[in-house]
Amino acid sequence: MRLPDSTLAHLSEVIDAPDLTGTKYRVIDLLGQGGMGNVFVAEDTELGRKVALKVLRVGDAQGELVKRMREEARIAARLEHPGIIPVHDLGLLPDGRVYYVTKLVQGQRLDEYAAQTESIAERLRVFLKVCEAVSYAHSQGVLHRDLKPANIMVGEFGEVLVLDWGTARGVNRDECHTAAHGTPGYMPPEQIAGATLDARADVYALGATLYVLLTRDLSANVTGREHLKSLPKPLAAMIRKALAQDAAGRYESVGHLAADVVRFLDGEPVSAYRETPLEKLSRFLNRHQFIVIILLTYMVIRLVFFLALRR
Amino acid sequence: MSDFTPFPDTRWTAIRALKSEDSATRSLAWETVSRLYWHPVQSYIRAKWRNSEQDANDAAQNFFAHVFEKETLAKYDSEKARFRGFVKLCLDRFLINDYKARQAQKRGGGLVESLETAGSDGTPLDPESPESLDRLFELEWRRSLFEAAVQDAETHATTETAKLQFALFKRYDLERGSANVLTYEQLAEEFGLSAITVTNHLHAMRTKVRLALLEKLRSITATEEEFIEESQILLGSGRKPRA
């Protein structure tokens, strides 16, 4: 028996569709495909609302995955923040696959948002909201461990939501130095090596995310970050500092990174970059344009009067 | 009751068994690998050399005989590549050597024509061939696994219920043409069942095929990471997400 291409495509689709018999959910559409599974738009038939339903691709032979997922759901549940996606439900399909249900976010992924937003300042303000959410999670003792543009949504009203706390771990938990969960290009060396992690692991991922947000270069994880030179030097230095190979060379917290972003937006010097005198002057003139123009105008008028009186 | 284990057995894989001391275990592993890779290898050779089906069959046979004799597949190192990539690499090397040997024989040891510029009949190969050949190899690998899974599901459908489930699955999912696709209602009428029974039976058989598919995949992957990565390729190529 040889399966024609069309039958093969059909089978790939239908056998991967989750069997939600016995649950209160009904699949409406496929939303996305990720490394671990698929995300569907589903209807919660009891409450009559649309939700996002994530189904892991592979079954759970030893029940380890369910245990891990429950732990993750508990972690996410204790993070009550407007920038963090709430988890509604968690369960097991008849074929052994784990599913979990979250709020359905309408909006754009961060990289899509970046592609459509010209203003660097606007993109940096969105980045600050991401930092706020991650910083809050850290204050609750939780690391995300898989921050990347695909896990950040910008909603219709400019709200920012950090998704997929699927690989999140408590900062002080033993699991924090287990296998290398995460995404190449966004994982710091210590995470790839399976070493102990702290907040600086998320700082690294945020540095890589900031790079994509500002350069729109999605190939960074394969080709290196070649577009850094196209950015203003202070921003490039901030990204380099966040992406330091040695955790000790990075910002010590997300708050410190965010503070540098705020300084840049306010036209102040950033901690990651030492300016030359000329750059200091240029930044000063740029920041105080109005006062400088008034002063210059005043001096020109004085000069004109002075010359006129000398005649 | 289904004969399928609810989850693929994570202890046995043919890849590890290829290195076994026990010859019976090695033979079983070899049979598993060669059965699942026969079509990808044969189709790849046929496309690359533009051979007739019979010539491609002979060449595939030679390749499997060669790697069996040299125990090449037992040298696979899961830290360096996926097993599928390793098989293709072995195949490419075999074809290059085979080509050189045949050219040398034909010309009495003279200059060898470039493999990249000419097919076996002397006609130039498609410049895009390496990429399209890779895609072909992957497609045939997926097809081979799906076919083996469907065959397993049919073999294990021994009870009346399971036979009915497979018959519905065959009619609705395997025999569908691009036009005039049956509705669940039409299928229900054809089999004298209610639409809800049809839906439940189809779900049940698709689940069995899915489990059989993952079991097959597990048998030809060496590590959990490889299994998960390959499952993404195997199952993630059907329906596309909405824009």
Side-chain angles (χ1 to χ4, degrees):
Chain A
M1 170 197 56
R2 296 292 285 156
L3 295 174
D5 287 357
S6 59
T7 307
L8 191 60
H10 168 74
L11 281 183
S12 294
E13 180 188 330
V14 294
I15 71 164
D16 210 27
D19 177 4
L20 293 168
T21 315
T23 73
K24 59 177 181 174
Y25 303 105
R26 184 179 67 84
V27 166
I28 296 173
D29 202 358
L30 179 67
L31 192 59
Q33 293 174 327
M36 293 293 282
N38 295 333
V39 186
F40 298 90
V41 179
E43 185 194 359
D44 177 338
T45 53
E46 264 178 26
L47 297 175
R49 66 176 174 185
K50 284 184 183 175
V51 292
L53 185 134
K54 185 166 186 174
V55 182
L56 299 197
R57 185 164 290 118
V58 177
D60 186 18
Q62 279 83 37
E64 278 301 309
L65 207 50
V66 177
K67 202 174 137 197
R68 214 181 89 194
M69 298 284 298
R70 283 194 199 286
E71 172 68 14
E72 285 155 7
R74 267 198 291 272
I75 287 172
R78 76 173 191 244
L79 299 176
E80 285 189 36
H81 187 277
I84 294 174
I85 187 111
V87 174
H88 295 323
D89 196 5
L90 174 76
L92 198 61
L93 297 180
D95 61 8
R97 284 186 285 168
V98 179
Y99 71 89
Y100 65 91
V101 181
T102 64
K103 176 185 172 182
L104 179 67
V105 183
Q106 308 279 3
Q108 293 173 300
R109 279 195 339 233
L110 191 67
D111 50 316
E112 294 168 343
Y113 165 82
Q116 289 174 14
T117 309
E118 280 307 313
S119 161
I120 283 193
E122 206 173 307
R123 283 182 261 161
L124 285 173
R125 278 191 281 274
V126 161
F127 182 73
L128 282 176
K129 290 184 187 172
V130 178
C131 288
E132 267 176 35
V134 177
S135 191
Y136 166 79
H138 289 180
S139 75
Q140 299 299 303
V142 176
L143 295 181
H144 188 287
R145 305 199 311 164
D146 194 18
L147 291 164
K148 56 183 173 181
N151 281 343
I152 297 163
M153 295 286 288
V154 183
E156 291 165 291
F157 306 107
E159 72 275 27
V160 173
L161 277 158
V162 180
L163 323 177
D164 209 348
W165 293 79
T167 55
R169 285 288 182 276
V171 174
N172 299 316
R173 300 290 301 264
D174 287 344
E175 302 113 302
C176 224
H177 51 88
T178 53
H181 297 288
T183 306
Y186 296 88
M187 277 194 286
E190 66 270 24
Q191 192 172 350
I192 295 168
T196 309
L197 303 181
D198 60 25
R200 291 170 297 180
D202 279 350
V203 167
Y204 183 97
L206 284 173
T209 302
L210 181 58
Y211 172 81
V212 172
L213 181 64
L214 295 180
T215 63
R216 301 149 169 179
D217 174 21
L218 282 168
S219 62
N221 55 343
V222 270
T223 58
R225 298 183 170 87
E226 292 159 0
H227 297 280
L228 267 182
K229 286 178 189 163
S230 66
L231 295 176
K233 284 178 182 169
L235 284 178
M238 285 156 57
I239 292 171
R240 280 197 196 96
K241 184 170 179 177
L243 290 171
Q245 292 297 295
D246 182 0
R250 285 177 219 144
Y251 290 99
E252 62 183 90
S253 73
V254 175
H256 285 84
L257 169 61
D260 250 2
V261 174
V262 171
R263 281 188 207 105
F264 178 83
L265 283 170
D266 289 347
E268 290 176 6
V270 302
S271 73
Y273 183 66
R274 185 177 297 197
E275 295 173 318
T276 62
L278 197 64
E279 284 169 334
K280 268 186 191 165
L281 179 67
S282 159
R283 186 175 46 73
F284 178 83
L285 294 177
N286 215 15
R287 190 182 174 201
H288 302 288
Q289 269 178 9
F290 185 66
I291 295 170
V292 170
I293 288 170
I294 286 180
L295 274 174
L296 282 175
T297 312
Y298 172 72
M299 285 169 77
V300 168
I301 292 169
R302 283 290 300 264
L303 186 67
V304 169
F305 270 110
F306 175 73
L307 292 174
L309 285 175
R310 280 191 66 180
R311 273 190 196 172
Chain B
M1 185 71 188
S2 163
D3 288 333
F4 288 103
T5 50
F7 304 102
D9 187 337
T10 56
R11 288 163 302 176
W12 191 88
T13 89
I15 313 303
R16 282 200 287 267
L18 282 170
K19 298 178 184 183
S20 169
E21 300 279 305
D22 177 42
S23 63
T25 307
R26 274 203 315 276
S27 291
L28 181 65
W30 173 254
E31 195 189 317
T32 304
V33 170
S34 53
R35 195 152 53 93
L36 288 172
Y37 273 97
W38 172 263
H39 278 301
V41 165
Q42 192 262 7
S43 303
Y44 184 83
I45 294 172
R46 194 171 178 200
K48 184 154 185 156
W49 294 97
R50 297 175 181 170
N51 276 348
S52 68
E53 190 166 357
Q54 187 52 50
D55 286 349
N57 281 343
D58 292 345
Q61 191 79 49
N62 289 342
F63 167 70
F64 282 109
H66 174 80
V67 291
F68 181 75
E69 186 190 322
K70 303 278 180 195
E71 295 188 345
T72 315
L73 298 183
K75 292 169 193 155
Y76 167 65
D77 180 352
S78 62
E79 288 190 0
K80 289 183 181 165
R82 291 181 194 175
F83 184 71
R84 180 160 57 94
F86 180 71
V87 172
K88 211 181 112 332
L89 182 74
C90 293
L91 177 59
D92 280 331
R93 280 186 187 159
F94 169 81
L95 291 176
I96 288 170
N97 291 335
D98 186 52
Y99 180 82
K100 282 179 179 171
R102 281 192 286 118
Q103 286 292 312
Q105 204 175 24
K106 200 156 74 180
R107 298 176 184 193
L111 277 174
V112 177
E113 194 179 347
S114 166
L115 181 70
E116 299 305 323
T117 56
S120 60
D121 57 356
T123 53
L125 286 173
D126 178 358
E128 288 179 5
S129 58
E131 220 178 56
S132 53
L133 284 170
D134 280 352
R135 279 201 301 271
L136 174 76
F137 191 77
E138 182 185 301
L139 175 71
E140 292 304 324
W141 170 81
R142 290 181 58 228
R143 197 192 314 275
S144 197
L145 280 159
F146 268 92
E147 284 167 358
V150 170
Q151 201 173 6
D152 265 22
E154 185 175 18
T155 308
H156 285 99
T158 48
T159 64
E160 286 310 310
T161 308
K163 280 178 186 166
L164 175 62
Q165 286 172 351
F166 190 82
L168 287 164
F169 171 75
K170 189 177 173 190
R171 182 78 181 96
Y172 188 79
D173 287 329
L174 299 183
E175 295 176 351
R176 62 193 282 119
S178 50
N180 299 326
V181 174
L182 282 176
T183 63
Y184 284 167
E185 287 72 23
Q186 287 169 327
L187 188 65
E189 199 182 321
E190 196 176 311
F191 280 77
L193 301 165
S194 68
I196 191 79
T197 309
V198 163
T199 314
N200 290 340
H201 281 331
L202 275 177
H203 262 307
M205 186 45 70
R206 286 169 183 170
T207 299
K208 287 173 187 173
V209 173
R210 189 176 200 284
L211 291 171
L213 183 72
L214 291 175
E215 203 169 15
K216 296 283 166 206
L217 179 65
R218 177 79 75 184
S219 74
I220 53 164
T221 48
T223 62
E224 186 65 17
E225 290 73 30
E226 188 187 1
F227 172 64
I228 288 172
E229 280 174 20
E230 293 288 63
S231 69
Q232 189 180 353
I233 292 165
L234 191 61
L235 292 165
S237 310
R239 184 181 182 190
K240 294 287 168 247
R242 70 179 187 182

